[in-house]
Amino acid sequence: MRTCAAGPVSSARLRDGYPRRVLKLVVLISGTGSNLRALLEASEDAEFPARVVAIGADRDCEGLALGEEFGIPAFTVPFTAYDSRDEWGDALIEQVRAWGADLVILSGLMRLVPPAVVDAFSPDLINTHPAYLPEFPGAHGVRDALAAGATETGASLIVVDNSVDGGPIIAQERVPILPGDTESTLHDRIKPVERRLLIQAVIDIANSHLDLKELAAS
Ligand code: GAR
């Protein structure tokens, strides 16, 4: 097991005599967690103003192993163990709240969260999406861009609301679609852009250069 460079998490840390905010992140995943890995690696820099305090998943998935690798607690709230999306959402809320997160990141969580989850955490609930929203929302953003014959797509970071990927846009960037691209090659080109947008947004939120409440209200 790798030691966690994060150390004890505090909501403030002294820097140049001024309190500095260190965000507690809970990251929710369904898949490989490569964007989560980027966040965990960024957190190894003592200057990074956030720490992942827990990793959550809606199913057994590869990304959960990052918990052990980085010494971060991981939990699963299996979607299929509940009778309804609402019940699953209530269980998820309980788990996430237990970690006192300042920011909840859906980083490849392939489930729509029910309204109670949005009410509980938004606007401090953000989602990465592998397309230039509002283009190609939903579970197959990469595949849909290719199927549409688009020549470019993108990466977006949004505040989660009760729509499907229709929340306020925090950041987004275009990514070209190249001749011969497959879903896999295109997704591999999009993910590094998602990571950069996500990490920069976390820094900006922690340093009060980005106000999610203001964004969500505008
Ligand atoms: C990311 O591209 C993320 O934006 C996408 O799943 C991928 C997860 O990759 N999310 C969605 O499509 C949500 N609609 P990862 O598990 O390797 O980080």
Side-chain angles (χ1 to χ4, degrees):
M1 183 190 293
R2 218 158 133 176
T3 33
C4 173
V9 175
S10 62
S11 60
R13 159 187 300 195
L14 283 180
R15 189 194 192 200
D16 303 331
Y18 292 98
R20 178 167 168 257
R21 197 168 172 218
V22 177
L23 295 180
K24 292 191 229 174
L25 312 177
V26 169
V27 183
L28 302 179
I29 58 169
S30 297
T32 57
S34 64
N35 289 350
L36 164 63
R37 174 182 285 282
L39 265 179
L40 290 164
E41 288 175 352
S43 300
E44 292 187 320
D45 180 345
E47 287 296 304
F48 188 68
R51 297 290 177 264
V52 178
V53 294
I55 299 164
D58 65 326
R59 64 187 81 167
D60 199 16
C61 63
E62 196 182 324
L64 283 169
L66 292 171
E68 191 167 336
E69 184 179 340
F70 284 82
I72 307 285
F75 63 86
T76 307
V77 183
F79 184 80
T80 51
Y82 295 86
D83 289 337
S84 67
R85 184 177 303 276
D86 286 343
E87 284 178 38
W88 170 74
D90 290 345
L92 189 65
I93 291 169
E94 200 180 315
Q95 281 282 345
V96 171
R97 279 216 171 112
W99 294 102
D102 298 304
L103 183 65
V104 183
I105 300 174
L106 310 188
S107 184
L109 181 78
M110 301 307 286
R111 293 271 173 213
L112 287 180
V113 293
V117 173
V118 175
D119 288 348
F121 304 115
S122 196
D124 300 312
L125 177 67
I126 67 176
N127 181 38
T128 60
H129 185 75
Y132 198 86
L133 292 168
E135 299 168 6
F136 311 117
H140 304 292
V142 181
R143 189 190 304 174
D144 292 347
L146 278 173
T151 55
E152 58 179 7
T153 181
S156 303
L157 184 67
I158 60 170
V159 174
V160 177
D161 66 8
N162 284 314
S163 66
V164 178
D165 297 325
I169 292 168
I170 299 167
Q172 61 185 168
E173 198 172 304
R174 284 286 182 191
V175 173
I177 298 178
L178 303 180
D181 258 341
T182 62
E183 191 173 344
S184 163
T185 59
L186 179 56
H187 208 164
D188 285 349
R189 190 174 312 114
I190 293 170
K191 281 185 183 183
V193 180
E194 289 184 304
R195 287 169 204 148
R196 186 158 39 73
L197 297 180
L198 176 60
I199 286 170
Q200 188 59 52
V202 168
I203 293 169
D204 289 346
I205 293 165
N207 293 337
S208 303
H209 294 147
L210 170 62
D211 185 335
L212 294 180
K213 280 191 183 61
E214 203 174 280
L215 180 70
S218 63

